[in-house]
Amino acid sequence: MKYDYLIAGAGLFGAVFAYEAKKTGKKCIVIDKRPHIAGNIYTENNDGIHVHKYGAHIFHTSDKNIWDYINQFSEFNNYINSPVAIYNDELYNLPFNMNTFSKMWGIKTPAEAKKIIEEQTNGLSISEPANLEEQALKLVGRDVYEKLIKGYTKKQWGRECKDLPAFIIKRLPLRFTYDNNYFNDRYQGIPVDGYTAIVEKMLEGTETRLSTDYFDIKDKVDADKVIYTGMIDEYYGYKLGVLEYRSVRFETERLECSNYQGNAVVNYTSDNVPYTRIIEHKHFNYGKQPFTIISREYSLEWTKGIEPYYPVNNEKNDSLYSQYKELSEKEENIIFGGRLGHYKYYDMDKVIAAALLLCKKELQLH
Ligand code: UDP
């Protein structure tokens, strides 16, 4: 059999490309080393609860085209992510907003909150924050940094805030209104039938082989081009060095109670709790089951043989990645994509945008 494209990885990037390629009459084969499709957005239906097996995914975007695009494949509910953070015996709303500040300092107005933050940042003289610690202190002051950011970030990234890039904390909104929406994006929701169903639809009519490692079959499949969504450094046998990633271990439990924590996401921000957060999956879909399923997330350094989740986009890794990228740009028949192929802390909407951009170029779409 002869294919136009061999797509390595049945995650969101590969599936969007496969869907668009099929529409233009190209013949693709999708492979994945895991026994299931959908990569890290895979959800598993456990008696009606969609369990996010590789961590919580909340779809959010400000791009109407991307929102319309994903809505072709599924209906979305009106879920708005509003995590809470527990620091020792104190509970705060996230993201950092008037509810957080009011609880932290017993104040009511934006002016009072701003005054306290100003007092706490006075004398710091940070004009252009050089790292996550400086960025966080500048934005929210010492108290919020110490209670809600420092311990959580250290657990999640295994590095001090001083050694992490500032952009990571800029993912979170900071507001002086009483608004607990974790995202500023115009569109947000969770697919009513889970994410796996979306990828299933994208791959409909495309040959898909699971439990199949690219390196085992690459010489046996006759394809003009390869779309590779695995780790770019692994593809090159780590010959320029190993890129760093964070991994996550999940401890998932079914509990015979209908509502364990009252929210889909509860972050544990102090460093004396070993996990970073607990996800109660049913709340993403307003589940009414008499039981519940929770996952505790433990963050750890990635090592060969376990799943990579988060690229560590600091200077050292970004410069190593750019060397791999240079190599990849010399390739004629292989294109890299996705969080691992681009070594980028992408959200789902950005993955779709990147895949569609590639489609435009590669498939001459308008
Ligand atoms: N963060 C924090 N405290 C929190 C939640 C997030 O300090 O309670 C910081 C932390 O550095 C984290 C970053 O904000 O890595 C981005 O968080 P986000 O929730 O976007 O991470 P993701 O959901 O991608 O794991």
Side-chain angles (χ1 to χ4, degrees):
M1 190 74 87
K2 173 106 177 69
Y3 300 94
D4 294 302
Y5 293 98
L6 162 60
I7 302 170
L12 193 52
F13 190 96
V16 168
F17 188 86
Y19 179 76
E20 294 301 327
K22 191 190 69 193
K23 275 203 310 196
T24 64
K26 301 285 185 200
K27 195 163 177 50
C28 300
I29 177 169
V30 176
I31 60 156
D32 201 294
K33 66 178 171 187
R34 290 178 180 165
H36 60 74
I37 59 165
N40 279 7
I41 65 171
Y42 176 66
T43 48
E44 187 181 84
N45 189 340
N46 288 3
D47 297 331
I49 297 180
H50 297 291
V51 176
H52 297 221
K53 295 293 276 191
Y54 300 90
H57 284 79
I58 299 121
F59 199 94
H60 57 98
T61 187
S62 291
D63 185 332
K64 184 164 189 324
N65 292 327
I66 300 291
W67 181 243
D68 291 342
Y69 187 83
I70 196 75
N71 273 267
Q72 298 174 73
F73 303 100
S74 176
E75 187 186 328
F76 278 71
N77 68 16
N78 61 345
Y79 177 81
I80 298 283
N81 198 32
S82 310
V84 295
I86 293 182
Y87 175 78
N88 297 333
D89 56 355
E90 301 164 25
L91 186 145
Y92 296 96
N93 287 109
L94 292 174
F96 312 121
N97 73 87
M98 283 307 296
N99 289 303
T100 326
F101 305 139
S102 170
K103 182 92 176 257
M104 181 95 39
W105 299 313
I107 49 101
K108 295 188 185 65
T109 66
E112 289 172 296
K114 283 182 185 168
K115 187 162 171 272
I116 295 178
I117 292 173
E118 241 171 63
E119 281 162 11
Q120 297 194 355
T121 48
N122 255 349
L124 285 175
S125 74
I126 302 165
S127 49
E128 200 42 55
N131 55 53
L132 198 155
E133 179 177 281
E134 289 188 6
Q135 179 72 66
L137 284 170
K138 185 174 178 202
L139 286 174
V140 291
R142 176 78 50 194
D143 290 344
V144 176
Y145 172 68
E146 295 285 342
K147 289 187 171 181
L148 302 182
I149 298 174
K150 195 176 170 185
Y152 187 92
T153 301
K154 181 144 192 235
K155 278 193 287 186
Q156 170 157 5
W157 294 97
R159 289 156 177 79
E160 298 294 338
C161 292
K162 280 193 203 72
D163 301 323
L164 286 164
F167 85 87
I168 292 178
I169 200 75
K170 283 204 232 153
R171 287 168 60 85
L172 271 59
L174 162 67
R175 292 191 196 106
F176 292 92
T177 53
Y178 287 91
D179 176 359
N180 295 326
N181 185 346
Y182 201 61
F183 303 112
N184 278 331
D185 286 321
R186 169 70 181 79
Y187 308 100
Q188 184 173 174
I190 299 279
V192 293
D193 296 318
Y195 287 97
T196 308
I198 291 182
V199 176
E200 235 162 49
K201 279 205 182 149
M202 290 176 173
L203 295 179
E204 224 168 59
T206 296
E207 185 181 342
T208 303
R209 276 195 232 161
L210 300 175
S211 305
T212 302
D213 193 310
Y214 173 75
F215 297 102
D216 294 337
I217 57 99
K218 67 183 174 54
D219 300 324
K220 297 179 199 144
V221 174
D222 185 6
D224 286 342
K225 278 193 175 177
V226 174
I227 307 292
Y228 189 83
T229 69
M231 295 154 68
I232 189 166
D233 54 340
E234 182 185 28
Y235 179 84
Y236 286 110
Y238 306 104
K239 67 179 176 191
L240 304 174
V242 180
L243 290 166
E244 293 172 304
Y245 298 86
R246 291 297 285 174
S247 188
V248 189
R249 181 170 67 79
F250 300 96
E251 245 174 43
T252 299
E253 257 190 276
R254 175 180 163 132
L255 302 172
E256 297 312 314
C257 70
S258 63
N259 185 6
Y260 172 71
Q261 63 181 11
N263 208 25
V265 185
V266 177
N267 290 359
Y268 286 81
T269 58
S270 81
D271 55 12
N272 54 27
V273 177
Y275 39 86
T276 51
R277 55 190 171 195
I278 300 182
I279 303 298
E280 188 169 9
H281 302 271
K282 69 190 303 181
H283 294 309
F284 288 125
N285 294 85
Y286 309 108
K288 297 277 181 290
Q289 298 80 358
F291 63 96
T292 194
I293 298 174
I294 61 164
S295 299
R296 290 185 189 83
E297 287 186 20
Y298 297 83
S299 181
L300 64 153
E301 196 67 16
W302 173 82
T303 49
K304 287 176 196 170
I306 64 171
E307 297 289 352
Y309 285 81
Y310 297 92
V312 183
N313 287 117
N314 57 21
E315 260 172 50
K316 178 181 131 204
N317 290 313
D318 282 351
S319 108
L320 179 56
Y321 168 68
S322 59
Q323 294 175 46
Y324 278 117
K325 185 162 176 268
E326 226 172 89
L327 273 189
S328 75
E329 281 163 356
K330 292 190 190 114
E331 304 274 2
E332 285 186 357
N333 300 324
I334 176 152
I335 298 164
F336 292 83
R339 225 188 226 209
L340 303 178
H342 285 166
Y343 195 66
K344 200 156 179 206
Y345 190 2
Y346 272 141
D347 287 329
M348 287 177 282
D349 62 328
K350 302 295 184 300
V351 171
I352 294 173
L356 289 177
L357 188 70
L358 172 66
C359 292
K360 223 171 160 176
K361 246 176 57 193
E362 190 63 24
L363 307 166
Q364 282 87 45
L365 298 185
H366 302 290

